[in-house]
Structure formats: C-alpha cells, structure tokens
Amino acid sequence: MKKFPILFITILALCGCKKFVEPGLQNNGKFENIYDEPLLAHGLLLNGYTRIPTNGWVFSDVATDDAVSNDRNNNFSKVATGQWTASFNPLDQWTNSKAAIQYINMFLTEADKVVFDAQNPTLNQMFKDRLKGEGYGLRALFSYYMLQAHAGKIGGTLYGYPILLTPESPTSDFNQPRAKFEDCVQQIYSDLNRAEELLPLDYKDISSTTEIPAKYSGILTETYNRVFGKLFSQRMTARIAKAIRAKATLMAASPAYAGGSTTTWANAAEAAAAVIDLNGGLNGFATNGLTWYAGGSGNQIDGLGSGANPAEIMWRTSIAQNSDLEADHFPPTLSGLGRLNPTQNLVNAFPALNGYPIGSASSNYSDAAPYTNRDPRLAAYILLNGSTAGPGNTTIYTANDRNTNDGLNKVETSTRTGYYMRKLLRQDVNRNASSISNQKHYRPHIRYTEIYLNYAEAANEAYGPLGNGPRAYSAYDVIKKIRQRAGIGLTNGDAYLESIKGDQGAMRTLIRNERRLELCFEGFRFWDLRRWNAGLNEAATGVNISQSNYLPITVESRSYQSFMIYGPIPYSETLKFNAIQQNTGW
C-alpha cells in the first residue's frame, strides 16, 4: 500500500508525457494528396529519372573482348568466365526498370486529376501535357532496357516482358505472362508517339508568341517559358524520344531479334536519320565529339552553362565535381586503382594512320613499333607504354622490365593486359593524397555519334554502302565523316574506305569496328555482340613488353553458351509466377 502513491504519480506522469512514449506523426503525405499538391505527383515521375541505367558508369565492357578488370571479384568478369546464371545476373534490368515503370504508371494514371494551376486552365493543361509526355518517353526508355536485357526465345518464339500500362496494387494479379517481342516493341513505339505529340523538340525560352503552338494560343511568352523553357533542360523531350526510337528500331532490326519483329533495317535507318536531320545532317556532326569528356583547355565541360550541352551530347546527367573515375582508373603511379584494362584485342582493332587495318600489308604496321603511325584514337582512349598522363604529364611504363607498379601484374592494382583506360578520364585531376583536386564530369545518356553510327549500320543493311534511300547521305558518307574526324586516311583519301565502298559485307565489318572504337568503354560492346549474333568467346589478350619486345599473352578466357545472346529472366520471378517462362537454355 505504501507503494501505491508512487505508482499513481508515475501513471499520471506518463499520461502527461504521452508524446514521449507514442510514435510521433510521420511527415508522409497521403497518396490522395497528389491531386492538390502537384509536387507529390511530380515526385512519382522523378522516381523514373533517378533509375535511368546510364545515370552512372557500369563498364560491362569487362564482360567482352574489349577489357578485363584487375579486380578479381568484378561481377562482369564473373559473367564472362562462366558464372552467369538466372540467379546471378549483374546485367539485370527486370527489378530496376519494372519499378520505374510502376512509378511512371502511377503518375500517368492519375496525372489528369492533378491540379497544377487552379487559376489558369491553359497553364494547368500545359503542365499536364509536358509531364505526361515525359512519362510516356521514360516508360518507352525503360521498356527498351527491359527488352535489351531480358528478351529471349521460348520454343523458337521471341518474347519480351509482361506489358503493364496501369499501376499494380496489392490486389493485382501479378502472375502475368510475358508478351511477344513484337508486341513489346510496338508498345514502345506507341509510347514514343505520345511523347512526341506532347513534348517540345527542346526546352528553350521563346521571345515571340509566334513560337507558341496553336493549341496553347492566347498565352504569354513568359507563361510558355514557365512550362517549356530552358529551366527544364535535360528532361525528356521530343528530340530525345526520337533518339530512343532510333535505339529501339536498331535493336529490333538486328539479327538476334529480326525473326520476332516486323521492324526493318529501313525503319531503323529512317528513325536515326530523323534525328540526324534535326542535327543539321552531316554538317551537324561535332568536330570535337571525340573528346566530349574533356575539360581544362578543351573547355567542353568547364565552360558549359547551366543545362547546356556540347555539340556532341544530346542528353546527359547533371555535372558533378569529383575524381571518382580517376580514383578507380588512373594507374598506380597516379594514385589510382587501374581497374579497367583494355585488351590487345581492342588495341588491334584500331587501324593504321592511313586507314588500313593493321593486318593489311598496306598498313605498314610493325610488330617492333606497334603504336607508331596508328589511328590517333588509340593513344587518346588507351594509356600505352611510354604515354604521359595526369596533371604532371607523368610517363607511364607498363613494360615488365621497368621498376614501377604500373607494369604488367606488378601489384594487385597493376594492369593485367599491358594497358590502362585513358578515355573518360580528366588528365587535370590530381589523386595525390596530399593534394587531391576534383574536376567536372558528366555521363551522357545519348551521344549524337551513336545515332550517326546507328544510321550507318542500318542504311548499309537496307540500301547498301552507297545507297541513301530517301535521305541525302549514305552509310559510306557517315563512316567517311567519322574517320575524317578521327584523323585517319587524311593523306591518301582514305584509300581503304574507297576500296570497300561497293562491298556491303566489308562495309558491315568496318561499321561494326568503327562503332567498337568510337563507343568503347561506354557500355555498348556487350549488347552489340549479342544483337549481332556475333562470337562471344574470343579470349581477352594482352601484351608482355620486355626489352622492347612485345609478346602477346592470353589474359582471360571467355565462357559463353550459344543461348546467352539473350539474358535470363530472374530465377526468383519464375519461382513466384508460373506464367513467367524462362528463356531457353537458362
């Protein structure tokens, strides 16, 4: 009984301090609030932007004949050496893209109910149009990545993924079968059509009402700029939607997918040409596009205004000031980890300065001086033995008879091939621990050179090397422009190109090789080899340099099965849903 007053007082105290013993209210808005709070609705759409696969560097080149990694636990190395399974798939897009599509579907389903501006009905509709257009464009983009990673054959029929155009809820039937590849492709085209209808070609501030589309007539220029002005640069546009179409049509027309698609090479050529013509045709080809990643005196990054792009870049991430790429890929002498090592296979793909492949007698290639009189892109993209790099122009020796950790297999951060990656890296970055200096970087989502190469490939297949269909330029014209920019064949009129310009097969080989060189280390090679039905098992090689002798070495074998031109559906999905069938072989 003596303890009762104390217990009573304690209870009263706890009751009076209820806020300290019960969870506080969470600062989470309810879903139905999106209709009156447009920023919440906008957040659904922005979730899609945060999931774009090209927001960061991935370096799937390590899974190909172009590169290896000195990180023995690299997931792409595991893929290339026989450990790729439906349960272990570093190339998976099912989870990420499907989640992005879910958020986008939530936005598209509710967008027309959201009040973006209660005072001005036209302005309200403009916001709806733009944001819905972005949603359709993003859904097409993620659908493309889903197809690229997971399309495959079952019993000879090519399938894609379950097409979902409305958001799933806890009561949804998740056990949905995969649609045929052709149906997935047509849905991508449909979404891109909607995006192009709703979006401006580019976001820019206008100064005259004559530039306002008829459907928005009667508004002020400043009102138009509020929705479609330059403030929204790097968001989805009609131009970007057209480029996504160029990517999707090229994939659908390629050998690995053509049997399950009605998309033709002519369709792919026209999709790419539509983008090229908007860029000024061949005259719009950026003369400095080889070094779009450069800063310093090149000023291609440092001098960019807010939201601006250099001529080579159509769409990119925001600019970040860091030295992460250099920390991972500089050689040890420059305080880097030297992670990505280009192969001798890739080095051999760079032609001689006169344009001939180094296997041709006309190239004047010498085994004793293998880097002399070569395509300038070789030294620009790959750090060779004796090259200089870094802010102090340090000489990098990868030779085995030099007393430096940059040499072949000297330490765990040394090169395994005799080469380091140079492309993408800012040479004005200092990684020395006592004076680290960061510099500006960005990652392109789409480069114009990719689209020009898309056209060259598709036009050669559709019309032959010199045919141009309804356009003013041919595959030959584009490849000539690319090689001229690279600085090869300038003294002899590119005699090699001239010698093959009437041969579709030889031109196909050259176009594929130019694509390999121009887009190296940007994550294209893995997917290109598969859509071409090309050989995947060429061993990755390197070079052991000692006393000025260059000895070829095998660095890493490749172990792919024939069915692996198509990636797997996640094993967990096939366990959960019996309607989801796995691709043949997996």
Side-chain angles (χ1 to χ4, degrees), residues 294-308:
S297 60
N299 213 28
Q300 292 184 59
I301 298 178
D302 297 340
L304 288 179
S306 178

Side-chain angles (χ1 to χ4, degrees), residues 139 149 164 204 309 328 424 513 526:
R139 188 166 71 182
L164 300 173
K204 61 179 183 179
N309 288 331
D328 280 342
L424 310 181
N513 195 68
F526 183 87

Side-chain angles (χ1 to χ4, degrees), residues 331-350:
T333 296
L334 298 179
S335 303
L337 297 174
R339 284 307 188 206
L340 191 143
N341 307 152
T343 60
Q344 187 67 47
N345 316 56
L346 177 58
V347 170
N348 291 346
F350 288 88

